[in-house]
Amino acid sequence: MQDVPNAPISVDDYRARIGALIQSTPVTLMPLQDCLGLVLGDDLLSPVSLPPFDNSAMDGYAVRSVDVAGAEPHAAVALPVPVDIPAGKTDIVPLLPGTAHRIMTGAPVPPGADAIVKVEDTDGGEQRVAVRVPVAPGTHIRRTGEDVSEGDTVLRAGAVLGSPQLGLAAAIGRAELPVHRRVRVLILSTGSELVEPGEPLLMGQIYESNSVLLAAAVQEIGGEATVLRFVPDDVKAFRDTIAGHLDKVDVLVTSGGVSAGAYEVVKDALTGQGVDFLRVAVQPGGPQGSGMFQGLPVVTLPGNPVSAALSFELFLRPTLRAAMGQPVIHRTRVKARTTVELRSPSARRQYRRGRLDGDVVTPVGGPGSHLLASFAVSNCLIEVPEDVEVVAEGDLVSVLVLS
């Protein structure tokens, strides 16, 4: 790969770089129950009409409208009821003139009937019924194809599959759908100081949290996350840990080991192997890395928790959503007035955690990349552009809504 310039790359340019690195997931047939939240890969045509047959919209009686034309509340028309038609009945007997068939909602309308009298307009008789109102032809009948005609395109490629869409797919008899499959992300945190949550801590150690955070972030957008046990600052241990997993995923995401100091294991293991390490003009989260390693896209994030979380938000979240065909890939952006003054370093785009309340936003915590607690109680990110060093109290700022 080409040498990377020393000057920091902009947030937008780096996002585009990551976007070009990760390709769209293939369209594959998946069981209906596994498709929630996924994106339809092809147009969906209906092999049947909905309803597939004329059926009753009411519990009542199937009649010929001419037979009850003279019915009145105080002068009911009496008809024999030789047949019951429950929902699901398949052997339907034609209705003879001068009779009524008791019918349930959703049951097929018998040949010869042209209307349904709802049970509330009768005496509810089982052998013989008194009909108290006249009905016009077509009353309370759901017609074949009234909702969908056979051959109709009921959903277009690119539709996000929620509960109504999956219900429709089931209604037309589809057990599987062609969808962009979930993106598969391999996650690995690095650092000799890391300890698994639940284990005792020694001086100089911290609990490992990035893999939990990143795996949850992947799952929140509908992806699949595989978490490898974090590795110490040892190049061989790093390579041994990822060996055997690279051909099963779409992208490898690491956290830690990418800065300029010693013991930067990810940087040491992947430099010269197709991955570039550079700085992005952003705070927090400047040190980044990306490229191809053994044919697999790799995105290496900084190790401080907020830096890792912010990097996912800015660079991976939109890219992974786009890879799964999602039509909306970016967070909602709004304008709000800040309640306090903000200061930002020159030539870097700063993101501050905040609480958005209507059209007012309040920063939460400071700009430090280690302040995870403030991130956990924030519902937005306040964006301060590269060319702005001071935001006065009451100024309008751009806000990315997280929840």
Side-chain angles (χ1 to χ4, degrees), residues 61 79-84 100 102 124-129:
Y61 297 84
L79 299 173
V81 182
V83 174
D84 270 1
R102 192 168 68 154
E126 296 182 13
Q127 304 301 320
R128 191 172 185 82
V129 64

Side-chain angles (χ1 to χ4, degrees), residues 60-121:
Y61 297 84
V63 298
R64 298 193 319 152
S65 58
V66 296
D67 289 342
V68 296
E72 295 180 10
H74 302 294
V77 172
L79 299 173
V81 182
V83 174
D84 270 1
I85 312 176
K89 188 175 178 63
T90 58
D91 53 334
I92 304 302
V93 177
L95 177 76
L96 299 178
T99 68
H101 289 182
R102 192 168 68 154
I103 193 169
M104 303 302 126
T105 301
V109 175
D114 67 353
I116 305 296
V117 180
K118 62 183 180 179
V119 70
E120 292 88 347
D121 292 329

Side-chain angles (χ1 to χ4, degrees), residues 2 22 67 76 78 83 87 103 128 132 136 148 155 164 172 192 200 257 279 303 310 332 352 362 372 377 380:
Q2 295 180 347
I22 301 173
D67 289 342
V83 174
I103 193 169
R128 191 172 185 82
R132 301 188 179 106
V148 172
L155 291 173
I172 64 171
S192 296
R279 293 194 65 82
L310 178 64
T332 299
R352 295 284 296 272
T362 302
L372 186 57
V377 297
C380 69

